[in-house]
Amino acid sequence: MINGETRVTGIFGDPVAHTLSPAMHNAAFTALGLNFVYLPFHVRREALAAAVAGIKALGLAGVNITVPHKEAVLPLLDEVAEEARLIGAVNTVVNRGGALVGYNTDATGFLRALQEAGFDPAGRPAVVIGAGGAARAVVVALARAGVGEITIFNRTLSRAAALAELVRAEGIAAAALSWADLTGAGKKVVAQAALVVQTTSLGMHPQEEDAPPVPPEALGPGQLVVDLIYSPPETRFLRLARAAGATTQNGMAMLLHQGAAAFELWTGREAPVGVMRAALENVLRSTFEVQG
Ligand SMILES: NC(=O)c1ccc[n+]([C@@H]2O[C@H](COP(=O)([O-])OP(=O)(O)OC[C@H]3O[C@@H](n4cnc5c(N)ncnc54)[C@H](OP(=O)(O)O)[C@@H]3O)[C@@H](O)[C@H]2O)c1
């Protein structure tokens, strides 16, 4: 029950109406009997600074930060964890007695999702498709987990090159290849990868027939193929990968585990991952039923 002692958390984003996080976090608070609540806050770009000041003014326990504020929030915080600074994005803010500390739990969430799939990236070759914000969290996570090497394919080659540079600075071999290489010289690199991570928005609802131009013959048994998209639950890309014999994972696992890591930062309690997963599955199922 909400009362005078309820701790408030939430998410700042624009848009924010379709966020799945309130269902997952509120179910977790209820399951552990914690007097916390998680709310969506529609924060426009021009209101971000005031909203961040509001975390202190209103005594919120913390918030998640989503598109388009993950980068812009950094200079507004009192402290930013080293990994979040390296990624250049914050998705979780913790109010530590009036000091706002920024973290990036997308990277932790991605690694926990790999663990859930029984995959250890240490020493193994990986391919990342895309070089946007999500890809930055993925490559930093992989680099920190001691991945063997990373090849990044992106439509805008300069962004892939910048990301490869970031990985090399962490002491890991990395290369950037163009989008066209996916069907050419890069096909062999994809075929030899133990892990292939699709981080672009291609194939996301409602553009479900889009997919990156990875030839299905480059995918197969022995590979883990991850698509960070969770709506639809199986993108065309994942369907092709599964048909080719690869093990697949959609983006729900990363979403779940980044949420679990944020929950732990706010509450100091171990996240009830099973409860959070069930809440996410429930809300995703009902979204798809509504959409038909
Ligand atoms: N599961 C999770 O927890 C989680 C977390 C974060 C994000 N995501 C998902 O990850 C995806 C990307 O998010 P983001 O924040 O990284 O976005 P972003 O920063 O805008 O990056 C978008 C990426 O997609 C590429 N792209 C977009 N449209 C394309 C097209 N038509 N053809 C080829 N490439 C295209 C971009 O290439 P250019 O560089 O050439 O523009 C860039 O690499 C979204 O679907 C998001 O929902 C999932």
Side-chain angles (χ1 to χ4, degrees):
M1 196 185 67
I2 291 175
N3 58 24
E5 292 182 41
T6 302
R7 306 292 321 274
V8 178
T9 64
I11 182 163
F12 290 0
D14 180 19
V16 81
H18 294 106
T19 176
L20 306 178
S21 294
M24 151 167 90
H25 284 287
N26 287 319
F29 295 143
T30 303
L32 296 193
L34 295 172
N35 192 359
F36 276 67
V37 67
Y38 186 105
L39 303 169
F41 295 100
H42 187 181
V43 176
R44 297 190 202 282
R45 271 183 211 276
E46 61 277 14
L48 181 65
V52 170
I55 301 173
K56 284 187 190 180
L58 300 171
L60 306 193
V63 290
N64 281 136
I65 305 286
T66 189
V67 178
H69 306 311
K70 285 184 177 185
E71 291 88 19
V73 78
L74 264 80
L76 304 172
L77 302 173
D78 297 304
E79 211 182 301
V80 176
E82 199 246 340
E83 189 169 79
R85 197 167 286 287
L86 189 62
I87 295 167
V90 159
N91 79 327
T92 302
V93 174
V94 181
N95 183 357
R96 288 231 162 82
L100 301 184
V101 188
Y103 296 87
N104 190 307
T105 68
D106 281 335
T108 317
F110 177 71
L111 286 184
R112 290 190 190 177
L114 289 187
Q115 214 171 35
E116 188 180 295
F119 184 90
D120 180 0
R124 306 175 77 185
V127 157
V128 174
I129 302 168
R136 282 181 78 86
V138 165
V139 301
V140 167
L142 288 174
R144 298 243 151 154
V147 70
E149 57 184 280
I150 306 183
T151 306
I152 303 156
F153 292 88
N154 196 45
R155 178 179 62 178
T156 309
L157 184 57
S158 58
R159 285 183 96 188
L163 215 46
E165 191 55 50
L166 180 80
V167 174
R168 282 195 291 271
E170 291 292 293
I172 304 284
L177 290 178
S178 76
W179 205 236
D181 281 328
L182 272 172
T183 45
K187 207 161 104 174
K188 210 166 140 200
V189 180
V190 178
Q192 285 168 352
L195 172 70
V196 178
V197 190
Q198 197 305 104
T199 74
T200 77
S201 45
L202 284 169
M204 195 161 72
H205 180 80
Q207 259 91 44
E208 294 180 19
E209 278 318 302
D210 289 350
V214 182
E217 65 272 19
L219 303 171
Q223 286 180 318
L224 175 64
V225 177
V226 179
D227 195 324
L228 297 195
I229 294 170
Y230 44 80
S231 172
E234 188 176 57
T235 57
R236 179 160 167 248
F237 175 67
L238 273 197
R239 201 161 63 238
L240 292 172
R242 185 166 56 85
T247 301
T248 60
Q249 183 186 64
N250 73 11
M252 211 199 73
M254 176 174 172
L255 178 71
L256 167 69
H257 289 292
Q258 65 75 30
F263 180 96
E264 288 162 9
L265 285 168
W266 295 325
T267 66
R269 298 280 297 273
E270 191 181 327
V273 171
V275 168
M276 295 172 86
R277 188 193 310 276
L280 269 184
E281 282 172 354
N282 212 10
V283 68
L284 270 175
R285 203 175 308 120
S286 56
T287 308
F288 270 83
E289 272 162 19
V290 171
Q291 285 165 355

